[in-house]
Amino acid sequence: ELMTGYTMLRNGGVGNGGQPWVLRWSSRIRLTWLSFTLFVILVFFPLIAHYYLTTIDDADDAGKRIFGPRTGNELCEVKHVQDLCRIRESVSEELLQLEAKRQELNSEIAKLNLKIEACKKSIENAKQDLLQLKNVISQTEHSYKELMAQNQPKLSLPIRLLPDKDDAAFPPPKSNRNCRLHNCFDYSRCPLTSGFPVYVYNSDDFPFGSSLDPLIKQAFEATVRTNVYVTENANIACVYIILVGEMQEPVMPKPTELEQQLHSLPYWRTDGHNHLIINLSRKSETQNFIYNISTGRAMIAQSTFYDAQYRPGFDIVVSPLVHAMSEPNFLEIPPQVPVKRKYLFSFQGEKIESLRSSLQEVRSFEEEIEGNAPADYDDRIIATLKAVQDSKLDFVLVEFTCKNQPKASLPTEWALCGERDDRLELLKLSTFALIITPGDTHLVISAGCTMRLFEALEVGAIPVVLGEQVQLPYNDVIRWNEAALIIPKPRITEVHFLLRSISDNDLLAMRRQGRFLWETYFSTSDNVFSTVLAVIRTRIQIPAAPIREEPAVEIPHRSGKAAGTDPNMADNGDLDLGPVETEPPYASPKYLRNFTLTAMDIYRNWNSAPGPFHLFPYTPFDPVLPSEAKFLGSGTGFRPIGGGAGGSGKEFQAALGGNVPREQFTVVMLTYEREEVLMNSLERLNGLPYLNKVVVVWNSPKLPSEDLLWPDIGVPIMVVRTEKNSLNNRFLPWDEIETEAILSIDDDAHLRHDEIMFGFRVWREARDRIVGFPGRYHAWDIPHQSWLYNSNYSCELSMVLTGAAFFHKYYAYLYSYVMPQAIRDMVDEYINCEDIAMNFLVSHLTRKPPIKVTSRWTFRCPGCPQALSHDDSHFHERHKCINFFVKVYGYMPLLYTQFRVDSVLFKTRLPHDKTKCFKFI
């Protein structure tokens, strides 16, 4: 039927009668079929698919359900889905935590913002308060100055006096033999503030100049050119000097001719006042040709004097000028130890003319007693000394007859035997050297005696002078009893007993003092001339000229880089030994005793080895130091208001206290082409209390990088350029160093602020010592019979390395200008040992060991490039240095110590509000 209907439809509904209802029915059937088909597809197909999938999931060969309905937990059982699920859970949890933190941080930020605003307000209020305090302080200082000006008299320098050229008003003495400073010296030409100007005549301008010994003349002229007191302006001179000897025998002028030439000097002024006539002797046979010359009021400096000629306190007995144009060779000088040598004493000499023949008349015993005539003790001396030699109780060597022709000598004087080298070899084997004064008591000193004294002191033989009437060189300022034995001739029988009774310690002290006197006053032409000037300057009480400081040539550099915070520096524990805020730079006072030290410390200045307690330069003729304000903490009487404010607790943290309650130190840092290490070390000094300045000694010929930005640490940084690469530059007395305390530190040294402050406080209690951190010691190598340098940990030490140590600026002057040049030359040769040299110097001067603070033995920063000390040859060179320095000094000056300074706070941590003092352990 359907087919029939369909046929009819195709034929236009004409078949079977062609009725139109057939068409309508067909349309309805088609729509119904289409609707039914869509219903089946939309409803039954998903159900069938679901059923199909469920059936496949339940099949036996499937093993597991894959597509069936599952719970939320079951969907995560697949491996890769499980990982994704875990990641999702983790991320969700972290997001929750981050959100909580964000909210917490926002809350803290809000609180901090409130605190910042409060701090800003507090800072503004504090600034206002600080400004008010500054105004109050300024007003108080101004009022204080006004009160001081009202209550203290005005004191100004005296008016410079310049006498007329003729000096007609100067009263003459009754006799030139009675000349003393008060009646033969014109003080008006030498005011206290004059600086002691000295004018030296040119000997070539006078006829007698051609007769002078060429070596003495050349040495004298070289010394004059370098002396700080010599001036070319004769109108302002205090003293006028003319060299007249030593003269050569064949061309020596007659006494009358020499006298006329002296009186014709341009500034002689009729009587020669304020003139000094120098007659130096290079040989023992120098004659006293000035004896028959009228010298007026002029002072005389020579090695031979008769009592009728010598004017005590006015004339000067000088030492012979042996090393005229050469420096003494320290390697040829024997050591000062062992104390006792082969011979107990020795003497070689020959008496050419006896006393009685020289007097040309025979005196009675009564005349000798009444007139103090010189009874000839020489025969008794010869007999006694020969008896001691024959007794063989001690090894002695006495010879009263020269094997060769004796040197020329004055009547009654014991002539020298042999050549100088032969005499020195004998003295090197002698503990004591006998010096028998001339039998003529009118001869107070002779060139032969001064030559014997010079040679004995040079090789360390203790002089034994027989004859108490003798006037030894510079006897009015040198205490000869500390370096020599002066025994009257009548005690000749007791000499042997006296020499044997002296202890080894006293022998070594006398030998060391004799070596000091020889090196300081006798050894070179510079020393002799400078000593003569110093004697006159000391007599008229004029202070010495300031010693020169090393001018610092600054290297321009850019600063402004904010110094970072080193975590190692921030953790100082409970040991806060300095104020929180850094004080402004404060220089040590200068020249507090420039007009009194010469008058008060004459004998100590001349007879003591120098040191900070000495308060005077190494030798009296050396200029006075420009920084001698407080060598002794309590010795200057300087105690500002507020002393003792650092006594306990928080006051100790905020103030230095003590006898010098206000003081700072300067850091001197030596560096060589290690810019990064240097910058790190400088940054670690940021905020260091009591730091005055940092002096960076740039030891490289290559300048720092132009783009290098230096840190801003709150105090000035001075970069000093050096002339050459030398470790001696570490100890130059730079004029930029304005404090007495110097902290010498390497550019790779790593010290905390509390350690530095602790060392500074300890140094203030021992200002004459080296106070530092790394300790070392020396040891005697028995198999090789030499000294060794040792850096092993030990309970004893004798050195403190200056790579991290405090010392007084005084020692910088002595190291650079006074210490033997041979030591500095060896430091330059090895590029090593400058720290050992400084320890030798300080121990030699003070006879005290250094002080080590804290238990630290190393101070190198981690990660820094290796230094010179890591070289294999470093220790071998230091062994050589120690042995060479011992030869130069003549003995081992280093002293052992078991003393170390620690703070109890390194061991015991105390609460912040408790007392913060330190103790010595």
Side-chain angles (χ1 to χ4, degrees):
E1 292 180 357
L2 291 173
M3 293 299 295
T4 302
Y6 180 71
T7 302
M8 291 177 64
L9 181 60
R10 288 176 58 89
N11 293 329
V14 181
N16 296 330
Q19 295 180 358
W21 64 269
V22 177
L23 296 173
R24 294 191 295 270
W25 182 81
S26 301
S27 300
R28 293 176 181 174
I29 291 300
R30 186 169 55 183
L31 293 172
T32 303
W33 175 257
L34 181 61
S35 300
F36 178 77
T37 303
L38 292 174
F39 176 78
V40 171
I41 293 172
L42 295 174
V43 175
F44 289 99
F45 183 80
L47 296 176
I48 294 172
H50 180 268
Y51 174 76
Y52 177 79
L53 294 175
T54 304
T55 303
I56 294 176
D57 203 344
D58 292 337
D60 294 338
D61 56 346
K64 293 183 180 179
R65 297 176 60 198
I66 300 176
F67 301 99
R70 291 171 173 81
T71 62
N73 293 331
E74 292 177 340
L75 293 176
C76 295
E77 293 178 359
V78 182
K79 183 176 181 180
H80 66 280
V81 176
Q82 291 176 351
D83 293 339
L84 294 175
C85 291
R86 284 194 297 270
I87 293 173
R88 182 191 64 184
E89 294 175 356
S90 176
V91 171
S92 300
E93 185 177 355
E94 290 181 359
L95 289 174
L96 293 175
Q97 293 177 357
L98 290 175
E99 178 64 20
K101 289 183 178 180
R102 186 183 68 83
Q103 295 178 359
E104 183 180 355
L105 289 176
N106 287 335
S107 176
E108 292 181 358
I109 289 173
K111 294 179 181 179
L112 291 176
N113 287 333
L114 295 176
K115 291 183 179 180
I116 289 174
E117 295 297 329
C119 290
K120 288 182 178 180
K121 294 180 180 179
S122 300
I123 291 174
E124 292 297 329
N125 296 332
K127 288 182 178 180
Q128 296 295 330
D129 296 340
L130 180 61
L131 182 60
Q132 294 179 0
L133 289 175
K134 288 182 177 179
N135 293 333
V136 172
I137 293 174
S138 178
Q139 294 175 0
T140 304
E141 291 178 349
H142 183 70
S143 301
Y144 175 75
K145 292 179 180 179
E146 290 181 349
L147 291 175
M148 293 294 292
Q150 295 175 1
N151 297 326
Q152 289 185 352
K154 294 182 179 181
L155 181 63
S156 60
L157 294 177
I159 299 175
R160 174 70 186 241
L161 300 178
L162 292 176
D164 296 334
K165 183 176 180 180
D166 295 334
D167 295 334
F170 192 61
K174 295 181 179 180
S175 171
N176 293 334
R177 178 67 181 84
N178 299 325
C179 264
R180 299 296 185 269
L181 289 176
H182 68 276
N183 58 5
C184 287
F185 189 85
D186 186 5
Y187 280 91
S188 64
R189 301 199 63 89
C190 306
L192 290 176
T193 59
S194 63
F196 192 60
V198 174
Y199 179 80
V200 180
Y201 291 101
N202 186 0
S203 300
D204 292 334
D205 297 339
F206 308 97
F208 64 83
S210 60
S211 304
L212 296 177
D213 186 305
L215 287 178
I216 290 183
K217 180 179 177 181
Q218 185 178 358
F220 182 79
E221 292 175 351
T223 300
V224 167
R225 285 194 296 268
T226 59
N227 195 276
V228 297
Y229 297 106
V230 174
T231 179
E232 296 180 358
N233 187 358
N235 294 324
I236 66 171
C238 169
V239 176
Y240 301 85
I241 297 178
I242 182 66
L243 178 67
V244 299
E246 180 177 60
M247 288 191 177
Q248 297 174 314
E249 293 288 345
V251 292
M252 181 182 299
K254 296 180 180 180
T256 56
E257 295 177 355
L258 181 60
E259 181 177 333
Q260 292 177 358
Q261 295 176 26
L262 290 177
H263 292 180
S264 64
L265 293 176
Y267 304 97
W268 186 260
R269 298 186 180 93
T270 68
D271 58 4
H273 62 270
N274 288 47
H275 274 65
L276 174 65
I277 301 175
I278 298 181
N279 178 22
L280 298 177
S281 60
R282 194 168 58 91
K283 298 174 292 186
S284 62
E285 59 268 22
T286 301
Q287 300 297 320
N288 182 15
F289 61 88
I290 303 181
Y291 181 75
N292 297 320
I293 294 177
S294 174
T295 57
R297 302 186 194 182
M299 296 175 286
I300 300 176
Q302 62 180 9
S303 300
T304 302
F305 280 101
Y306 285 95
D307 58 357
Q309 177 189 18
Y310 180 69
R311 296 165 291 186
F314 192 74
D315 294 326
I316 303 174
V317 179
V318 299
S319 61
L321 188 59
V322 177
H323 301 287
M325 292 302 297
S326 62
E327 296 288 335
N329 189 352
F330 290 99
L331 298 181
E332 296 179 356
I333 300 175
Q336 299 185 31
V337 290
V339 177
K340 295 182 178 179
R341 300 175 177 176
K342 178 180 179 180
Y343 299 111
L344 176 64
F345 60 83
S346 64
F347 177 81
Q348 284 182 327
E350 183 173 343
K351 195 171 184 181
I352 299 177
E353 186 177 1
S354 67
L355 173 64
R356 295 187 181 274
S357 60
S358 65
L359 294 178
Q360 297 181 353
E361 62 179 359
V362 179
R363 302 184 182 183
S364 65
F365 178 78
E366 290 78 6
E367 290 176 337
E368 292 182 357
I369 297 300
E370 293 177 0
N372 245 350
D376 196 349
Y377 287 99
D378 291 354
D379 294 338
R380 186 184 305 177
I381 292 174
I382 294 174
T384 303
L385 295 181
K386 284 185 176 181
V388 174
Q389 185 178 23
D390 295 338
S391 67
K392 298 182 180 181
L393 296 175
D394 291 291
F395 284 106
V396 298
L397 192 151
V398 290
E399 295 178 354
F400 300 104
T401 304
C402 296
K403 298 178 181 179
N404 300 320
Q405 182 67 25
K407 303 294 181 181
S409 62
L410 296 175
T412 74
E413 182 185 16
W414 287 91
L416 294 173
C417 296
E419 300 298 329
R420 167 177 159 81
D421 292 339
D422 298 332
R423 297 195 300 269
L424 292 181
E425 290 300 323
L426 175 61
L427 292 175
K428 290 178 182 179
L429 302 176
S430 305
T431 305
F432 296 94
L434 296 184
I435 301 175
I436 305 177
T437 59
D440 186 0
T441 56
H442 297 289
L443 185 61
V444 295
I445 189 64
S446 65
C449 288
T450 57
M451 183 64 69
R452 290 180 181 274
L453 179 67
F454 179 93
E455 294 177 352
L457 296 177
E458 181 178 5
V459 297
I462 300 174
V464 179
V465 182
L466 296 179
E468 79 284 359
Q469 80 283 355
V470 68
Q471 298 290 333
L472 296 180
Y474 322 119
N475 62 313
D476 55 339
V477 289
I478 291 180
R479 292 178 178 173
W480 279 106
N481 59 340
E482 297 179 358
L485 294 175
I486 303 177
I487 304 174
K489 286 185 178 181
R491 294 191 180 275
I492 182 59
T493 57
E494 302 172 329
V495 169
H496 184 210
F497 170 80
L498 179 62
L499 299 185
R500 294 189 64 183
S501 63
I502 301 177
S503 65
D504 290 352
N505 290 336
D506 292 338
L507 289 176
L508 185 58
M510 296 181 70
R511 182 173 295 165
R512 179 174 177 270
Q513 180 68 8
R515 175 72 175 268
F516 164 74
L517 296 177
W518 179 81
E519 288 183 356
T520 307
Y521 307 120
F522 297 171
S523 58
T524 64
S525 58
D526 287 341
N527 291 351
V528 172
F529 180 69
S530 299
T531 303
V532 171
L533 295 184
V535 170
I536 300 175
R537 182 182 52 77
T538 304
R539 287 175 176 176
I540 61 179
Q541 299 181 352
I542 294 181
I547 194 171
R548 69 179 181 91
E549 294 187 293
E550 196 69 22
V553 180
E554 184 178 6
I555 299 177
H557 60 281
R558 294 189 303 158
S559 61
K561 175 184 175 183
T565 302
D566 189 344
N568 295 324
M569 306 302 297
D571 184 16
N572 285 335
D574 293 328
L575 193 62
D576 297 328
L577 299 178
V580 178
E581 297 182 0
T582 304
E583 293 185 346
Y586 172 74
S588 299
K590 301 178 181 179
Y591 302 110
L592 294 186
R593 299 188 62 209
N594 53 345
F595 289 106
T596 57
L597 62 91
T598 304
M600 295 178 60
D601 301 320
I602 291 179
Y603 288 103
R604 183 173 63 175
N605 297 337
W606 281 83
N607 298 277
S608 301
F613 290 96
H614 196 210
L615 293 175
F616 200 75
Y618 185 74
T619 61
F621 54 83
D622 279 333
V624 71
L625 301 183
S627 180
E628 55 182 18
K630 304 186 299 295
F631 289 136
L632 284 173
S634 60
T636 61
F638 175 74
R639 187 180 179 87
I641 298 175
S648 62
K650 295 182 179 180
E651 292 81 3
F652 180 79
Q653 175 183 346
L656 283 173
N659 297 311
V660 188
R662 189 181 184 190
E663 187 173 18
Q664 295 179 345
F665 61 91
T666 302
V667 168
V668 176
M669 186 177 295
L670 188 71
T671 186
Y672 186 89
E673 295 184 2
R674 296 198 294 182
E675 295 181 354
E676 182 179 357
V677 175
L678 175 63
M679 295 301 107
N680 293 335
S681 297
L682 291 175
E683 288 186 6
R684 284 194 291 269
L685 299 177
N686 183 32
L688 180 60
Y690 305 115
L691 178 60
N692 178 272
K693 184 185 301 181
V694 177
V695 176
V696 177
V697 181
W698 192 265
N699 225 21
S700 171
K702 181 181 177 182
L703 296 180
S705 303
E706 295 182 358
D707 58 347
L708 183 63
L709 193 62
W710 295 69
D712 184 4
I713 60 175
V715 297
I717 297 179
M718 174 69 66
V719 185
V720 178
R721 185 175 185 176
T722 58
E723 296 181 357
K724 64 176 182 178
N725 178 19
S726 172
L727 293 179
N728 292 316
N729 296 332
R730 179 195 299 272
F731 302 125
L732 284 174
W734 302 104
D735 54 3
E736 290 294 332
I737 301 176
E738 300 177 325
T739 60
E740 296 180 17
I742 295 178
L743 172 58
S744 174
I745 190 170
D746 288 339
D747 58 358
D748 59 354
H750 195 183
L751 295 174
R752 300 197 312 267
H753 285 190
D754 63 297
E755 293 174 324
I756 295 176
M757 287 310 307
F758 181 69
F760 180 51
R761 289 180 179 271
V762 173
W763 177 86
R764 284 165 44 84
E765 302 293 332
R767 306 175 72 89
D768 62 331
R769 316 274 281 275
I770 298 178
V771 176
F773 300 88
R776 300 292 186 266
Y777 67 97
H778 67 288
W780 179 251
D781 184 5
I782 298 179
H784 298 88
Q785 293 294 296
S786 62
W787 294 101
L788 296 178
Y789 170 85
N790 203 314
S791 63
N792 297 330
Y793 295 156
S794 173
C795 294
E796 286 188 334
L797 62 98
S798 59
M799 292 175 282
V800 166
L801 301 187
T802 55
F806 286 92
F807 63 90
H808 202 288
K809 188 181 178 181
Y810 184 88
Y811 295 125
Y813 295 97
L814 301 183
Y815 183 98
S816 302
Y817 303 141
V818 177
M819 188 180 68
Q821 181 63 36
I823 296 179
R824 293 190 293 271
D825 291 341
M826 190 167 197
V827 171
D828 288 335
E829 178 183 355
Y830 285 159
I831 316 179
N832 198 345
C833 306
E834 85 287 356
D835 47 0
I836 300 178
M838 177 59 81
N839 278 271
F840 265 70
L841 175 65
V842 177
S843 296
H844 169 66
L845 301 177
T846 63
R847 304 306 302 137
K848 298 176 183 178
I851 296 179
K852 172 178 170 52
V853 293
T854 77
S855 59
R856 179 188 286 257
W857 281 80
T858 59
F859 54 90
R860 302 295 178 188
C861 64
C864 292
Q866 288 189 350
L868 295 174
S869 58
H870 294 275
D871 192 353
D872 294 337
S873 62
H874 176 74
F875 284 93
H876 297 287
E877 293 173 349
R878 295 174 85 80
H879 299 329
K880 296 178 181 178
C881 287
I882 286 185
N883 289 279
F884 178 79
F885 296 164
V886 169
K887 291 182 179 179
V888 173
Y889 282 99
Y891 74 113
M892 169 55 75
L894 298 180
L895 299 173
Y896 293 107
T897 179
Q898 299 178 2
F899 179 78
R900 191 183 79 196
V901 182
D902 284 345
S903 171
V904 294
L905 300 183
F906 278 111
K907 306 296 182 182
T908 305
R909 296 299 183 182
L910 302 178
H912 184 72
D913 57 344
K914 299 298 183 180
T915 301
K916 298 178 179 295
C917 296
F918 63 89
K919 295 182 179 179
F920 293 160
I921 297 180

